[in-house]
């Protein structure tokens, strides 16, 4: 009887769900906005349509991700851009780039209401424009895998998993003490 109870208790134990979160990010990329969309397990959203909306909800454009889940969008107005993608099965990606960042990409003055108060000082360019673009492209290509790894790491080690592990340990000790007490009372 005791073994049956143990087997039933173990079969009812919760197992980790194989769910994943949507990861989306947008970054400055020269005179364009580069973004990526994927899942926390490392799968990227390939060939997914991304809708670009302005702050008033008006559609600014549509783009499609490549096979690695990346997209590039060239802004035409210095307003906040919201990137939206429906990945199916209830997964939705939505990320916004502020108007000040878009204005900086376009090389125009930002609206004073949206400009950050601690903007970095302008620096004098030592490289030509072509050299800066080559360097920026190389750095972006090298940073892509790092962004993915960091996002996946964030999803793996969070507070909920730590507390869940502690709960399992406390529960197992509780079961051990329960069975030890029953054995001691029966003797």
């Amino acid at each position: 009887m005791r073994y049956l109870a143990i087997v039933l208790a173990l079969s009812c134990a919760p197992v980790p769900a194989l769910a994943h979160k949507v990861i989306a990010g947008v970054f400055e990329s020269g005179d364009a906005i580069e973004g990526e969309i994927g899942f926390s397990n490392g799968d990227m959203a390939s060939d997914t349509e991304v809708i670009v909306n302005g702050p008033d909800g008006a559609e600014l454009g549509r783009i499609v991700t490549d096979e690695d889940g990346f997209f590039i969008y060239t802004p035409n107005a210095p307003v906040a851009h919201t990137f939206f993608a429906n990945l199916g099965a209830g997964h939705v990606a939505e990320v916004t780039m502020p108007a000040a960042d878009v204005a900086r990409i376009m090389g125009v003055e930002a609206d004073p209401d949206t400009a950050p108060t601690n903007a970095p000082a302008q620096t004098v360019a030592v490289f030509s424009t072509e050299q800066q673009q080559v360097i920026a492209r190389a750095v972006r290509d090298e940073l892509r895998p790092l962004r993915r790894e960091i996002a996946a790491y964030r999803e793996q080690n969070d507070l909920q998993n730590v507390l869940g592990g502690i709960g399992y340990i406390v529960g197992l000790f509780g079961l051990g003490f329960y069975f030890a007490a029953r054995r001691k009372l029966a003797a």
Side-chain angles (χ1 to χ4, degrees):
M1 179 70 175
R2 181 182 327 172
Y3 295 112
L4 179 63
I6 292 173
V7 170
L8 285 174
L10 290 176
S11 66
C12 294
V15 293
L18 299 176
H20 46 258
K21 289 183 174 179
V22 174
I23 298 174
V26 290
F27 317 95
E28 296 180 28
S29 176
D31 61 347
I33 299 170
E34 180 179 338
E36 67 178 333
I37 300 174
F39 297 99
S40 62
N41 66 357
D43 293 340
M44 299 309 288
S46 60
D47 299 322
T48 302
E49 183 178 46
V50 180
I51 302 169
V52 185
N53 294 321
D56 57 354
E59 185 175 310
L60 300 175
R62 290 176 183 251
I63 43 180
V64 177
T65 61
D66 64 7
E67 62 275 354
D68 293 327
F70 289 97
F71 63 85
I72 295 178
Y73 178 77
T74 304
N76 52 14
V79 297
H81 284 58
T82 300
F83 298 86
F84 174 84
N86 185 353
L87 305 173
H91 296 98
V92 175
E94 186 172 350
V95 63
T96 301
M97 178 171 274
D101 294 346
V102 176
R104 186 173 46 248
I105 289 171
M106 296 178 67
V108 298
E109 282 294 318
D111 182 11
D113 294 334
T114 61
T117 57
N118 56 356
Q122 296 293 336
T123 58
V124 178
V126 179
F127 298 107
S128 69
T129 305
E130 289 179 19
Q131 290 172 329
Q132 289 177 352
Q133 290 175 349
V134 169
I135 292 170
R137 189 175 306 116
V139 169
R140 276 193 311 274
D141 291 343
E142 293 298 321
L143 286 178
R144 280 181 180 175
L146 293 176
R147 283 189 227 142
R148 251 188 229 150
E149 287 179 22
I150 290 170
Y153 181 74
R154 282 185 197 154
E155 297 301 319
Q156 290 176 354
N157 300 319
D158 60 354
L159 182 63
Q160 183 177 2
N161 288 342
V162 172
L163 293 177
I166 292 171
Y168 276 116
I169 292 169
V170 170
L172 290 174
F173 271 106
L175 279 173
F177 285 129
Y178 171 75
F179 287 123
R182 282 195 67 197
R183 189 174 307 145
K184 193 172 191 178
L185 287 177

